[in-house]
Amino acid sequence: MAKVTLKLFALLGRHLPPGSVANATEVEIPDGSDIGALIARFALSEKDCHLVLLNGAFVPPDSRTSTRLSPGDTVSIWPPIGGG
Amino acid sequence: MSWTGKFLRIDLTKGTVGTEELNREWARQYLGQRGLATKYFAEEVDPKVDPLSPANKMIFTTGPLTGTAASTGGRYSVVTKGPLTGCIACSNSGGFFGNELKNAGWDMIIVEGKSPRPVYLSVENETVEIRDAAEFWGKTVWETENGLKARHQDPMLRVASIGAAGEKGALYACIVNDMHRAAGRSGVGAVMGSKNLKAIAVRGTRGVTVKDPDRFIKATIEQKKVLADNAVTGQGLPKYGTQVLMNVINEIGALPTRNFRDVQFEGAHKISAEAMHEPRVTDGKANLATNGACFGCTIACGRISRMDAGHFSIATRPQYKEPSGGVEYEAAWAVGADCGVDDLEACTFANFMCNEHGFDPISFGSTLAAAMEMYEMGVLTREHTGGIELKFGSAEALVKMAELTGKGEGFGVELGLGSRRLCAKYGHPELSMTVKSQEFPAYDPRGIQGMGLTYATSNRGACHLRSYTVASEVLGIPFKSDPLATEGKAALVKAFQDATAAFDASGICIFTTFAWSLENLAPQLDAACEGEWTPDVLLEVGERIWTLERQFNLAAGMTAADDTLPKRLLKDAAKTGPAKGLASGLDKMLPEYYQLRGWTPDGVPTADTLKRLHLA
């Protein structure tokens, strides 16, 4: 098993476990898990996972199930957002 | 139709009020607001004019869709020569003032000269008067707005005014309307102050006519549905506002921190949109009281905040305990991350000061950040600051300096010079994070490469609202591009610049562009306005506006050498995050940009380009 950090922002914050701080929670995952599996575990819909970052770098939708996670990684997810 | 076809000309030196017919040919070429007013300004004002002299003019201008049923159709702009930058200045604001001006029957107000004494302009439909403002001079924006409503016995009066910052010539003073909406950038408030013009108070009840009412209503309903169905404009912005960007930009390593020394801020979450929703430990209430909308807006991104009544900044000042305009992303970044401050309440108070006294939080925060760096270097001392420790991260220093800058007192007078002049005065021009003397907004060009080109080429100095490539490079709107790549960014920036200019000329808020393109704007304009308005026509109008602004700046003395970034961004690589090891690749983008624009390698539009755009 490996520990990674999952951050869910904006409207996705409601999927975090109670008591999460700074929109982040630590998650234990089986070795070799990918981002797609992490998203599925939290029952996040595909359309809500608009912006997915692995350690700050964008992961395109078609790469999520092929992107393996390593211990200490941070996955951050937002629904469609805008600002400026 | 949709234009009222007439405008006011106010000569403050002579004390006269005139009315003129709108030049319809220019309206066809420049549409309105940012475009049409820039055309009038460029025709009437010497580009080398001293911005704070009576010879400078200022134009309060609406767009053809201002005051109509189009969503967000309440915008107005102030066009003048900016005292902060020496460039063309065009500051855009929402709220309700623009709608009121258009409904009073006027497309624009051209203000010229200088009044011998403080005055305000009263516009009640066709009745227009220059009136004495002695009792309001020295008053805050909030006092002035409430005072004018009381004097006119009209709570529906809409007021755009300046506070002490504008009166005393802070070079990034803004013009505030409806208490907390602002024509914010480039120092347009200082120009107003230099003319002894305290406020414009407007009441309009005439209505706005459109070319084809049935087609127009159908088009606006269709496009409002597009906004409502879009996840960004229908859900994200109303709920979280622009502040939702704080954590995103921090995570991707492009959040300028402590005067751009770092690109990630350890306290970002504490000043983010998510934090604004969380109950405070101190009183159990959230900073965010509610969201708010400007005239005709179906997005409602505005933030209304209620401060913690026990916070040190307001504990003994009950007047700040009622809800008021809260921090938007750019403001929260400038007074927060850029100064290393993670106290959301202190940031909110600084924002209140900006609204109450009328000054730009972006330029203020960036200037304070540069001052903090000079303080930590020992260049500035307590003797300069009036005994205040100007250390990065000090909420106390932020609160004190915001109030002093707004009131034009103590070290706040020096901060009112802006970053470039302040850093030059103390011998460290390299610490000023500016382009053409205007402070950067909240995106580090090392982590979002297209924004480096955006800043360097912006016609009003560093600005995110002239070409918001963050939409593509970070948010994936309308398509996702790589924020760390320079390839393709010249074309991206040009496309954003031209389309944005068209939106800014229409009377519509640029935030619609998270869901709309020119394809969505064109049918509304075409149903409302005389002439034929297609996406292609609008794109050409946008390019024409951009090139005209460029021509003005070149005539004012700007050169290609001004299209650059501070050395820190060009030479010092980002230390953390995905952009670690990377500096701005401006040199890889700028030549291609000039080429795409049809400009010479020296950044001058060629004769062919000017001819193609009907500018020669």
Side-chain angles (χ1 to χ4, degrees), chain B residues 83-160:
Chain B
L84 183 68
T85 60
C87 299
I88 191 84
C90 176
S91 289
N92 185 309
S93 181
F96 296 82
F97 178 85
N99 162 68
E100 206 72 20
L101 177 60
K102 185 76 173 286
N103 272 278
W106 308 106
D107 289 317
M108 306 190 296
I109 304 173
I110 298 179
V111 178
E112 49 195 48
K114 177 182 180 179
S115 171
R117 63 185 191 288
V119 294
Y120 74 98
L121 185 68
S122 170
V123 180
E124 293 188 25
N125 295 327
E126 297 80 15
T127 303
V128 182
E129 298 174 290
I130 300 170
R131 300 183 65 167
D132 182 71
E135 73 176 272
F136 297 112
W137 202 255
K139 301 288 188 189
T140 69
V141 164
W142 296 350
E143 290 167 339
T144 301
E145 183 163 335
N146 287 329
L148 282 168
K149 286 178 177 176
R151 177 189 274 196
H152 286 257
Q153 297 185 2
D154 186 353
M156 296 301 288
L157 197 72
R158 299 299 180 183
V159 177

Coordinates of all heavy atoms in Angstrom, one line a residue, chain B residues 83-160:
Chain B
P83 N -1.9 58.1 -15.8 CA -0.8 58.7 -15.1 C 0.2 57.7 -14.6 O 1.4 58.0 -14.4 CB -1.4 59.5 -14.0 CG -2.7 58.8 -13.7 CD -3.2 58.3 -15.0
L84 N -0.3 56.4 -14.4 CA 0.7 55.4 -13.9 C 1.6 54.9 -15.0 O 2.7 54.7 -14.8 CB -0.1 54.2 -13.3 CG 0.7 53.1 -12.7 CD1 1.3 53.5 -11.4 CD2 -0.2 51.8 -12.5
T85 N 1.0 54.9 -16.2 CA 1.7 54.2 -17.3 C 2.2 55.1 -18.4 O 3.1 54.8 -19.1 CB 0.7 53.2 -18.0 OG1 -0.4 53.9 -18.4 CG2 0.3 52.1 -17.0
G86 N 1.5 56.2 -18.6 CA 1.8 57.0 -19.8 C 1.2 56.4 -21.1 O 1.5 56.9 -22.2
C87 N 0.4 55.4 -20.9 CA -0.2 54.7 -22.1 C -1.7 55.1 -22.1 O -2.2 55.7 -21.2 CB -0.1 53.2 -21.9 SG 1.5 52.5 -21.8
I88 N -2.3 54.6 -23.2 CA -3.8 54.7 -23.2 C -4.3 53.9 -22.0 O -3.8 52.8 -21.7 CB -4.3 54.1 -24.5 CG1 -5.8 54.4 -24.7 CG2 -4.1 52.6 -24.7 CD1 -6.1 55.8 -25.3
A89 N -5.2 54.4 -21.3 CA -5.9 53.7 -20.2 C -7.3 53.5 -20.5 O -8.0 54.4 -21.0 CB -5.7 54.6 -18.9
C90 N -7.7 52.3 -20.3 CA -9.2 51.9 -20.4 C -9.5 51.0 -19.3 O -9.1 49.9 -19.3 CB -9.4 51.3 -21.8 SG -11.1 50.7 -22.0
S91 N -10.3 51.5 -18.3 CA -10.7 50.8 -17.2 C -12.2 50.5 -17.2 O -13.0 51.4 -17.4 CB -10.3 51.5 -15.9 OG -8.9 51.5 -15.7
N92 N -12.5 49.2 -17.0 CA -13.9 48.8 -17.2 C -14.5 48.5 -15.9 O -13.8 47.9 -15.0 CB -13.8 47.5 -18.1 CG -15.1 46.9 -18.5 OD1 -16.0 46.7 -17.7 ND2 -15.2 46.7 -19.8
S93 N -15.8 48.8 -15.7 CA -16.4 48.5 -14.5 C -17.9 48.0 -14.7 O -18.5 48.3 -15.7 CB -16.5 49.8 -13.6 OG -17.1 49.6 -12.4
G94 N -18.3 47.3 -13.7 CA -19.7 46.8 -13.7 C -20.6 47.6 -12.8 O -20.6 48.8 -12.9
G95 N -21.4 46.9 -12.0 CA -22.3 47.7 -11.1 C -23.5 48.1 -11.9 O -24.0 47.5 -12.9
F96 N -24.0 49.3 -11.6 CA -25.2 49.8 -12.2 C -25.1 51.2 -12.8 O -26.0 51.7 -13.5 CB -26.3 49.9 -11.1 CG -26.7 48.5 -10.5 CD1 -25.9 48.0 -9.5 CD2 -27.8 47.8 -11.0 CE1 -26.2 46.7 -9.0 CE2 -28.1 46.5 -10.5 CZ -27.3 46.0 -9.5
F97 N -23.9 51.8 -12.7 CA -23.7 53.1 -13.2 C -23.8 53.2 -14.7 O -24.4 54.1 -15.3 CB -22.3 53.6 -12.7 CG -22.0 55.0 -13.2 CD1 -22.4 56.1 -12.6 CD2 -21.2 55.1 -14.4 CE1 -22.0 57.4 -13.0 CE2 -20.9 56.4 -14.9 CZ -21.3 57.5 -14.2
G98 N -23.2 52.2 -15.4 CA -23.2 52.2 -16.8 C -24.6 52.1 -17.4 O -25.0 52.9 -18.3
N99 N -25.4 51.2 -16.8 CA -26.8 51.1 -17.3 C -27.5 52.4 -17.1 O -28.3 52.9 -18.0 CB -27.5 50.0 -16.5 CG -29.0 50.1 -16.6 OD1 -29.6 49.9 -17.6 ND2 -29.6 50.5 -15.5
E100 N -27.3 53.1 -16.0 CA -28.0 54.3 -15.7 C -27.7 55.4 -16.7 O -28.5 56.2 -17.1 CB -27.7 54.8 -14.2 CG -28.7 55.6 -13.6 CD -30.0 54.8 -13.2 OE1 -29.9 53.6 -13.1 OE2 -31.1 55.4 -13.0
L101 N -26.4 55.5 -17.0 CA -25.9 56.5 -18.0 C -26.6 56.3 -19.3 O -27.0 57.2 -20.0 CB -24.4 56.5 -18.1 CG -23.7 57.4 -19.1 CD1 -24.0 58.9 -18.8 CD2 -22.2 57.2 -19.1
K102 N -26.6 55.0 -19.7 CA -27.2 54.7 -21.1 C -28.7 55.1 -21.0 O -29.2 55.6 -22.0 CB -26.9 53.3 -21.4 CG -27.4 52.8 -22.7 CD -26.4 53.3 -23.8 CE -26.8 52.7 -25.2 NZ -26.4 51.2 -25.2
N103 N -29.3 54.7 -19.9 CA -30.8 55.0 -19.8 C -31.1 56.4 -19.7 O -32.3 56.8 -19.8 CB -31.4 54.1 -18.7 CG -31.8 52.8 -19.2 OD1 -32.8 52.6 -19.8 ND2 -30.9 51.8 -19.0
A104 N -30.1 57.2 -19.3 CA -30.3 58.7 -19.3 C -30.3 59.3 -20.7 O -30.6 60.4 -20.9 CB -29.3 59.3 -18.4
G105 N -29.8 58.4 -21.6 CA -29.9 58.9 -23.0 C -28.5 59.2 -23.6 O -28.4 59.9 -24.7
W106 N -27.4 58.8 -22.9 CA -26.1 59.2 -23.4 C -25.2 58.0 -23.6 O -25.1 57.1 -22.8 CB -25.5 60.1 -22.4 CG -26.3 61.2 -22.0 CD1 -27.0 61.4 -20.8 CD2 -26.7 62.4 -22.8 NE1 -27.8 62.5 -20.9 CE2 -27.6 63.2 -22.1 CE3 -26.3 62.8 -24.1 CZ2 -28.1 64.4 -22.6 CZ3 -26.8 64.0 -24.6 CH2 -27.7 64.7 -23.8
D107 N -24.5 57.9 -24.8 CA -23.5 56.9 -25.0 C -22.2 57.1 -24.3 O -21.6 56.2 -23.9 CB -23.2 56.8 -26.5 CG -24.4 56.2 -27.3 OD1 -25.0 55.3 -26.9 OD2 -24.7 56.8 -28.4
M108 N -21.9 58.4 -24.2 CA -20.6 58.7 -23.5 C -20.7 60.1 -22.9 O -21.6 60.9 -23.1 CB -19.5 58.9 -24.6 CG -19.3 57.7 -25.5 SD -17.7 58.0 -26.5 CE -18.1 59.5 -27.5
I109 N -19.7 60.3 -22.0 CA -19.5 61.7 -21.5 C -18.0 62.0 -21.7 O -17.1 61.2 -21.2 CB -19.8 61.8 -20.0 CG1 -21.2 61.4 -19.6 CG2 -19.5 63.2 -19.5 CD1 -21.5 61.3 -18.1
I110 N -17.7 63.0 -22.5 CA -16.3 63.4 -22.6 C -16.1 64.6 -21.7 O -16.7 65.6 -21.7 CB -16.0 63.9 -24.1 CG1 -16.2 62.7 -25.1 CG2 -14.6 64.4 -24.2 CD1 -16.0 63.0 -26.5
V111 N -15.1 64.4 -20.8 CA -14.8 65.4 -19.8 C -13.4 66.0 -20.1 O -12.5 65.3 -20.3 CB -14.7 64.8 -18.4 CG1 -14.3 65.9 -17.3 CG2 -16.0 64.1 -18.0
E112 N -13.4 67.3 -20.2 CA -12.1 68.0 -20.6 C -11.9 69.2 -19.7 O -12.8 69.7 -19.0 CB -12.1 68.4 -22.1 CG -13.4 69.1 -22.5 CD -13.5 69.2 -24.1 OE1 -13.3 68.1 -24.7 OE2 -13.7 70.3 -24.6
G113 N -10.6 69.7 -19.7 CA -10.3 70.8 -18.9 C -10.1 70.5 -17.4 O -9.9 69.4 -17.0
K114 N -10.2 71.6 -16.6 CA -10.1 71.4 -15.1 C -10.9 72.5 -14.4 O -10.8 73.7 -14.8 CB -8.6 71.6 -14.7 CG -8.4 71.5 -13.2 CD -6.9 71.8 -12.8 CE -6.8 71.7 -11.3 NZ -5.4 71.9 -10.9
S115 N -11.7 72.0 -13.5 CA -12.6 73.0 -12.8 C -11.7 73.8 -11.8 O -10.8 73.2 -11.2 CB -13.7 72.2 -12.0 OG -14.3 73.1 -11.2
P116 N -12.0 75.0 -11.6 CA -11.3 75.8 -10.6 C -11.6 75.4 -9.2 O -10.8 75.8 -8.3 CB -11.7 77.3 -10.9 CG -13.0 77.1 -11.6 CD -13.0 75.9 -12.4
R117 N -12.6 74.7 -9.0 CA -13.0 74.3 -7.6 C -13.6 72.9 -7.7 O -14.1 72.4 -8.8 CB -14.0 75.3 -7.0 CG -15.3 75.3 -7.8 CD -16.2 76.4 -7.3 NE -17.5 76.2 -7.9 CZ -17.9 76.5 -9.1 NH1 -16.9 77.0 -10.0 NH2 -19.1 76.3 -9.6
P118 N -13.7 72.2 -6.6 CA -14.3 70.8 -6.6 C -15.8 70.9 -7.1 O -16.6 71.7 -6.6 CB -14.2 70.3 -5.2 CG -13.1 71.1 -4.6 CD -13.1 72.5 -5.3
V119 N -16.1 70.0 -8.0 CA -17.5 69.9 -8.6 C -17.8 68.5 -8.8 O -17.0 67.6 -8.7 CB -17.6 70.6 -9.9 CG1 -17.4 72.1 -9.8 CG2 -16.6 70.1 -11.0
Y120 N -19.1 68.2 -9.0 CA -19.6 66.9 -9.5 C -20.5 67.2 -10.6 O -21.1 68.3 -10.8 CB -20.2 66.1 -8.4 CG -21.6 66.5 -7.9 CD1 -22.8 65.9 -8.4 CD2 -21.8 67.5 -7.0 CE1 -24.0 66.2 -8.0 CE2 -23.1 67.9 -6.5 CZ -24.2 67.2 -7.0 OH -25.4 67.6 -6.6
L121 N -20.7 66.2 -11.4 CA -21.6 66.3 -12.6 C -22.9 65.6 -12.2 O -22.9 64.4 -11.9 CB -21.0 65.7 -13.8 CG -21.7 65.8 -15.1 CD1 -21.8 67.3 -15.6 CD2 -21.1 64.9 -16.2
S122 N -24.0 66.3 -12.4 CA -25.3 65.7 -12.2 C -26.0 65.5 -13.5 O -26.2 66.4 -14.3 CB -26.2 66.6 -11.3 OG -27.5 66.2 -11.3
V123 N -26.4 64.2 -13.8 CA -27.1 63.9 -15.0 C -28.4 63.2 -14.6 O -28.5 62.1 -14.1 CB -26.2 62.9 -15.8 CG1 -27.0 62.5 -17.1 CG2 -24.9 63.5 -16.2
E124 N -29.5 63.9 -14.9 CA -30.8 63.4 -14.8 C -31.5 63.4 -16.1 O -32.1 64.5 -16.5 CB -31.6 64.1 -13.7 CG -31.0 63.9 -12.3 CD -31.9 64.5 -11.2 OE1 -33.1 64.6 -11.4 OE2 -31.4 64.8 -10.1
N125 N -31.4 62.3 -16.9 CA -31.9 62.3 -18.3 C -31.3 63.5 -19.0 O -30.1 63.6 -19.1 CB -33.4 62.3 -18.3 CG -33.9 61.0 -17.8 OD1 -33.3 59.9 -17.9 ND2 -35.1 61.0 -17.1
E126 N -32.1 64.4 -19.6 CA -31.6 65.5 -20.4 C -31.1 66.7 -19.5 O -30.4 67.6 -20.0 CB -32.7 66.1 -21.3 CG -33.2 65.1 -22.3 CD -34.2 64.1 -21.8 OE1 -34.7 64.4 -20.7 OE2 -34.4 63.0 -22.4
T127 N -31.3 66.6 -18.2 CA -30.9 67.7 -17.4 C -29.5 67.4 -16.8 O -29.3 66.5 -16.0 CB -31.9 67.9 -16.2 OG1 -33.2 68.1 -16.7 CG2 -31.5 69.1 -15.3
V128 N -28.6 68.2 -17.3 CA -27.2 68.0 -16.9 C -26.6 69.3 -16.4 O -26.6 70.3 -17.0 CB -26.3 67.5 -18.2 CG1 -24.9 67.2 -17.8 CG2 -27.0 66.3 -18.8
E129 N -26.0 69.1 -15.2 CA -25.4 70.3 -14.5 C -24.1 70.0 -13.9 O -23.9 68.9 -13.3 CB -26.4 70.8 -13.4 CG -27.8 71.2 -13.8 CD -28.6 71.5 -12.6 OE1 -29.0 70.6 -11.9 OE2 -28.9 72.7 -12.4
I130 N -23.2 71.0 -13.9 CA -22.0 70.9 -13.1 C -22.3 71.6 -11.8 O -22.7 72.8 -11.8 CB -20.8 71.7 -13.8 CG1 -20.6 71.0 -15.2 CG2 -19.6 71.6 -13.0 CD1 -19.6 71.8 -16.1
R131 N -22.1 70.9 -10.7 CA -22.6 71.4 -9.4 C -21.4 71.4 -8.4 O -20.5 70.6 -8.5 CB -23.7 70.6 -8.9 CG -24.9 70.6 -9.8 CD -26.1 69.9 -9.3 NE -26.7 70.5 -8.1 CZ -27.8 70.2 -7.6 NH1 -28.6 69.3 -8.2 NH2 -28.3 70.8 -6.4
D132 N -21.5 72.3 -7.4 CA -20.5 72.4 -6.4 C -20.4 71.2 -5.6 O -21.4 70.6 -5.2 CB -20.9 73.6 -5.5 CG -19.8 73.9 -4.5 OD1 -18.7 74.3 -4.9 OD2 -20.0 73.5 -3.3
A133 N -19.1 70.8 -5.3 CA -18.8 69.6 -4.5 C -18.0 69.9 -3.3 O -17.3 69.0 -2.8 CB -18.2 68.5 -5.4
A134 N -18.0 71.1 -2.9 CA -17.1 71.5 -1.8 C -17.4 70.6 -0.6 O -16.4 70.2 0.1 CB -17.3 73.0 -1.4
E135 N -18.6 70.3 -0.3 CA -18.9 69.6 0.9 C -18.5 68.1 0.8 O -18.5 67.4 1.8 CB -20.4 69.7 1.2 CG -21.3 68.9 0.3 CD -22.8 68.9 0.7 OE1 -23.2 68.1 1.6 OE2 -23.5 69.8 0.2
F136 N -18.3 67.7 -0.4 CA -17.9 66.2 -0.6 C -16.4 66.1 -0.7 O -15.9 64.9 -0.6 CB -18.6 65.6 -1.8 CG -20.1 65.6 -1.7 CD1 -20.9 66.4 -2.5 CD2 -20.7 64.8 -0.7 CE1 -22.2 66.4 -2.4 CE2 -22.1 64.8 -0.6 CZ -22.8 65.6 -1.4
W137 N -15.6 67.1 -1.0 CA -14.2 67.0 -1.2 C -13.6 66.6 0.1 O -13.9 67.2 1.1 CB -13.6 68.3 -1.7 CG -12.3 68.1 -2.4 CD1 -11.0 68.5 -1.9 CD2 -12.0 67.6 -3.7 NE1 -10.1 68.2 -2.8 CE2 -10.6 67.6 -3.9 CE3 -12.8 67.1 -4.7 CZ2 -10.0 67.2 -5.1 CZ3 -12.3 66.7 -5.9 CH2 -10.9 66.7 -6.1
G138 N -12.7 65.6 0.1 CA -12.2 65.1 1.3 C -13.0 63.9 1.9 O -12.5 63.2 2.8
K139 N -14.1 63.7 1.4 CA -15.0 62.6 1.8 C -14.6 61.3 1.1 O -14.0 61.3 0.0 CB -16.5 62.9 1.6 CG -17.0 64.1 2.3 CD -17.1 64.0 3.8 CE -17.8 65.2 4.4 NZ -17.7 65.1 5.9
T140 N -14.9 60.2 1.8 CA -14.7 58.9 1.1 C -15.7 58.6 0.0 O -16.7 59.3 -0.1 CB -14.8 57.7 2.2 OG1 -16.2 57.6 2.5 CG2 -13.9 58.0 3.4
V141 N -15.4 57.6 -0.8 CA -16.3 57.2 -1.8 C -17.6 56.8 -1.2 O -18.7 57.2 -1.8 CB -15.7 55.9 -2.5 CG1 -16.8 55.2 -3.3 CG2 -14.5 56.3 -3.4
W142 N -17.6 56.1 -0.1 CA -18.9 55.7 0.5 C -19.7 56.9 1.0 O -20.9 56.9 0.8 CB -18.6 54.7 1.6 CG -18.0 53.4 1.2 CD1 -17.8 53.0 -0.1 CD2 -17.4 52.4 2.0 NE1 -17.2 51.8 -0.2 CE2 -16.9 51.4 1.1 CE3 -17.3 52.2 3.4 CZ2 -16.3 50.2 1.6 CZ3 -16.6 51.0 3.8 CH2 -16.2 50.1 3.0
E143 N -19.0 57.8 1.7 CA -19.7 59.0 2.1 C -20.2 59.8 1.0 O -21.3 60.4 1.1 CB -18.7 59.9 3.0 CG -18.3 59.2 4.3 CD -17.1 59.9 5.0 OE1 -16.3 60.6 4.2 OE2 -16.9 59.8 6.2
T144 N -19.5 59.9 -0.1 CA -19.9 60.7 -1.2 C -21.1 60.1 -1.9 O -22.1 60.8 -2.2 CB -18.7 60.8 -2.2 OG1 -17.6 61.4 -1.6 CG2 -19.1 61.6 -3.5
E145 N -21.1 58.8 -2.1 CA -22.2 58.2 -2.7 C -23.5 58.3 -1.9 O -24.6 58.7 -2.4 CB -21.9 56.7 -3.0 CG -23.1 56.0 -3.7 CD -22.6 54.7 -4.4 OE1 -21.5 54.5 -4.7 OE2 -23.5 53.9 -4.6
N146 N -23.4 58.1 -0.6 CA -24.6 58.2 0.3 C -25.0 59.7 0.4 O -26.2 60.0 0.4 CB -24.2 57.7 1.7 CG -24.2 56.1 1.7 OD1 -24.9 55.5 0.9 ND2 -23.4 55.6 2.5
G147 N -24.0 60.6 0.4 CA -24.3 62.0 0.5 C -25.0 62.6 -0.7 O -25.9 63.4 -0.6
L148 N -24.6 62.1 -1.9 CA -25.2 62.6 -3.1 C -26.7 62.0 -3.2 O -27.6 62.7 -3.7 CB -24.4 62.2 -4.3 CG -23.2 63.1 -4.6 CD1 -22.3 62.4 -5.6 CD2 -23.6 64.5 -5.0
K149 N -26.9 60.8 -2.8 CA -28.2 60.2 -2.8 C -29.1 61.0 -1.9 O -30.3 61.3 -2.2 CB -28.2 58.8 -2.4 CG -27.6 57.9 -3.5 CD -27.5 56.4 -3.1 CE -27.1 55.5 -4.2 NZ -26.9 54.1 -3.9
A150 N -28.6 61.4 -0.7 CA -29.4 62.2 0.2 C -29.6 63.6 -0.3 O -30.8 64.1 -0.3 CB -28.6 62.3 1.5
R151 N -28.6 64.2 -0.9 CA -28.8 65.6 -1.5 C -29.9 65.6 -2.6 O -30.7 66.5 -2.6 CB -27.5 66.1 -2.0 CG -27.7 67.5 -2.7 CD -26.5 68.0 -3.4 NE -25.5 68.7 -2.5 CZ -24.5 69.4 -3.0 NH1 -24.3 69.6 -4.3 NH2 -23.7 70.0 -2.1
H152 N -29.8 64.6 -3.4 CA -30.8 64.5 -4.5 C -32.1 63.8 -4.1 O -33.0 63.7 -4.9 CB -30.2 63.8 -5.7 CG -29.2 64.6 -6.5 ND1 -29.4 65.2 -7.7 CD2 -27.9 64.9 -6.1 CE1 -28.3 65.8 -8.1 NE2 -27.4 65.7 -7.1
Q153 N -32.2 63.4 -2.9 CA -33.3 62.7 -2.4 C -33.8 61.5 -3.3 O -34.9 61.4 -3.7 CB -34.5 63.6 -2.1 CG -34.1 64.7 -1.1 CD -35.3 65.6 -0.7 OE1 -36.4 65.4 -1.2 NE2 -35.1 66.5 0.1
D154 N -32.8 60.8 -3.7 CA -33.0 59.7 -4.7 C -32.1 58.5 -4.4 O -30.9 58.5 -4.8 CB -32.7 60.2 -6.1 CG -33.1 59.2 -7.2 OD1 -33.5 58.1 -6.8 OD2 -33.1 59.6 -8.4
P155 N -32.7 57.5 -3.7 CA -31.8 56.3 -3.4 C -31.4 55.5 -4.7 O -30.5 54.7 -4.6 CB -32.7 55.5 -2.5 CG -34.1 55.9 -2.8 CD -34.0 57.4 -3.2
M156 N -32.1 55.8 -5.8 CA -31.8 55.1 -7.0 C -30.7 55.8 -7.9 O -30.3 55.3 -8.9 CB -33.0 54.9 -7.9 CG -34.1 54.1 -7.2 SD -33.5 52.4 -6.9 CE -33.4 51.7 -8.5
L157 N -30.2 56.9 -7.4 CA -29.1 57.6 -8.0 C -27.9 56.7 -8.1 O -27.6 56.0 -7.2 CB -28.8 58.9 -7.2 CG -27.9 59.9 -7.9 CD1 -28.8 60.7 -8.9 CD2 -27.4 61.0 -6.9
R158 N -27.2 56.7 -9.3 CA -26.0 55.9 -9.4 C -24.8 56.8 -9.5 O -24.8 57.8 -10.2 CB -26.1 55.0 -10.7 CG -27.3 54.0 -10.6 CD -27.2 53.1 -9.5 NE -28.3 52.1 -9.4 CZ -28.4 51.2 -8.5 NH1 -27.6 51.1 -7.5 NH2 -29.5 50.4 -8.6
V159 N -23.8 56.5 -8.7 CA -22.7 57.4 -8.5 C -21.4 56.8 -8.8 O -21.1 55.6 -8.4 CB -22.7 57.9 -7.0 CG1 -21.5 58.9 -6.8 CG2 -24.0 58.7 -6.7
A160 N -20.5 57.5 -9.6 CA -19.1 57.1 -9.7 C -18.3 58.2 -9.2 O -18.4 59.3 -9.6 CB -18.8 56.9 -11.2

